[in-house]
Amino acid sequence: KAGVTQTPRYLIKTRGQQVTLSCSPISGHRSVSWYQQTPGQGLQFLFEYFSETQRNKGNFPGRFSGRQFSNSRSEMNVSTLELGDSALYLCASSRGVEGAAGNTIYFGEGSWLTVV
Amino acid sequence: AQSVAQPEDQVNVAEGNPLTVKCTYSVSGNPYLFWYVQYPNRGLQFLLKYITGDNLVKGSYGFEAEFNKSQTSFHLKKPSALVSDSALYFCAVRDEVTGGGNKLTFGTGTQLKVEL
C-alpha cells in the first residue's frame, strides 16, 4: 500500500512569492496534518484537516493556509514568502476517526523549501 | 499544555551494545506516545507507540520502549545497536483532550551515533 506522498520534493522560491505544496494521504486515511521542521525550531505543528474541515491549528501567521479536498488530498500554501520560511514541510496522515487517539500517524518524505 | 523533553542532544554507543534514548512527557489527559526515526534528508518513520496496556511496547527494527507513568517517561531501547541505527530520533505525544485531533507535540530530537 502506498505511503504518504508529497510533491514537490524540492523547490526554490524567491522572497515575496507564494508556494503550494501537495500531499496525498494513505488510502483510507481522512486526517491530514502538516508540520514545519527547521534546525532552530524543530518540528512544529501547522494545521490538521479532517473531512475537508480544519480541525486543529498551530501558532503560525495567516500567510500559512491549507485545505483538504473530498478525496482527502491536501494542499498547503504559504504566501509572501520570507527567508525564515525555508524548511522541510512534512505531511502526515491518519485514519483520524473521532475518539481513536491511538491511530498511528504516518509521515511523508517531505517537501524541502528554500527561500532566497 | 502538553510537552515532551528529550534531555540528550546526542547519544553515542558502540555497535552490539544496548542503547537507550530518553524521553519524558507532560500531558493533562491520558498520554498517547510515539517514537519516530529520521534518516538524513528523509521524512519521519514510525517506530512504535504506547496507547494503553503493557508498559513495554515492541516496535519496528528491534526497537522497544518502556512506559513509566510515575516517572512520566517513555524511553526507547534496543538490546543490540547497529551502525545502521544511526539517525535522529523523535519522541512525540498526543494528548487525549485534543478532541480526537491528530496534533503531535515533538521533542527536540536525539541524534544517535552507533560506532564500530
Side-chain angles (χ1 to χ4, degrees):
Chain A
K1 165 161 142 172
V4 180
T5 304
Q6 292 187 243
T7 56
R9 288 295 317 281
Y10 304 92
L11 66 166
I12 301 173
K13 290 287 186 177
T14 303
R15 255 184 321 176
Q17 287 186 316
Q18 73 166 8
V19 66
T20 299
L21 307 177
S22 180
C23 173
S24 293
I26 292 171
S27 178
H29 286 190
R30 293 164 63 192
S31 165
V32 174
S33 47
W34 291 88
Y35 293 79
Q36 181 196 64
Q37 185 178 21
T38 59
Q41 299 299 317
L43 280 156
Q44 293 187 290
F45 172 80
L46 280 156
F47 29 65
E48 181 207 0
Y49 288 87
F50 179 77
S51 292
E52 302 179 66
T53 301
Q54 189 179 84
R55 186 159 69 171
N56 278 304
K57 189 177 188 304
N59 188 26
F60 277 81
R63 299 186 297 107
F64 292 81
S65 63
R67 59 178 177 169
Q68 186 180 33
F69 303 95
S70 58
N71 61 359
S72 293
R73 192 177 68 82
S74 176
E75 289 181 346
M76 67 163 283
N77 182 276
V78 187
S79 63
T80 319
L81 284 166
E82 300 176 359
L83 296 179
D85 297 332
S86 295
L88 175 64
Y89 289 89
L90 292 163
C91 172
S93 80
S94 170
R95 292 193 181 280
V97 174
E98 188 70 30
N103 286 334
T104 299
I105 300 173
Y106 296 94
F107 285 78
E109 293 291 336
S111 291
W112 286 94
L113 170 64
T114 301
V115 183
V116 297
Chain B
Q2 58 197 39
S3 65
V4 174
Q6 292 182 244
E8 302 156 317
D9 290 335
Q10 182 161 319
V11 169
N12 297 320
V13 64
E15 188 175 50
N17 284 359
L19 69 87
T20 298
V21 182
K22 295 179 181 178
C23 171
T24 58
Y25 66 90
S26 174
V27 298
S28 52
N30 291 322
Y32 295 88
L33 298 156
F34 300 79
W35 275 102
Y36 290 87
V37 59
Q38 186 177 36
Y39 294 96
N41 302 316
R42 304 294 299 275
L44 301 179
Q45 291 183 31
F46 169 75
L47 282 178
L48 51 79
K49 66 182 178 183
Y50 172 82
I51 306 303
T52 186
D54 289 341
N55 290 339
L56 186 64
V57 179
K58 294 192 181 295
S60 307
Y61 315 118
F63 283 94
E64 57 191 27
E66 187 171 8
F67 172 73
N68 187 316
K69 188 172 183 178
S70 62
Q71 297 185 3
T72 60
S73 67
F74 188 54
H75 301 330
L76 182 70
K77 300 174 185 283
K78 188 174 182 182
S80 178
L82 299 172
V83 172
S84 57
D85 292 330
S86 298
L88 186 58
Y89 290 80
F90 288 98
C91 181
V93 65
R94 180 168 59 198
D95 195 333
E96 183 183 38
V97 298
T98 57
N102 285 320
K103 174 184 176 182
L104 289 175
T105 299
F106 284 90
T108 51
T110 298
Q111 185 69 48
L112 174 66
K113 187 174 182 181
V114 182
E115 299 167 310
L116 288 170

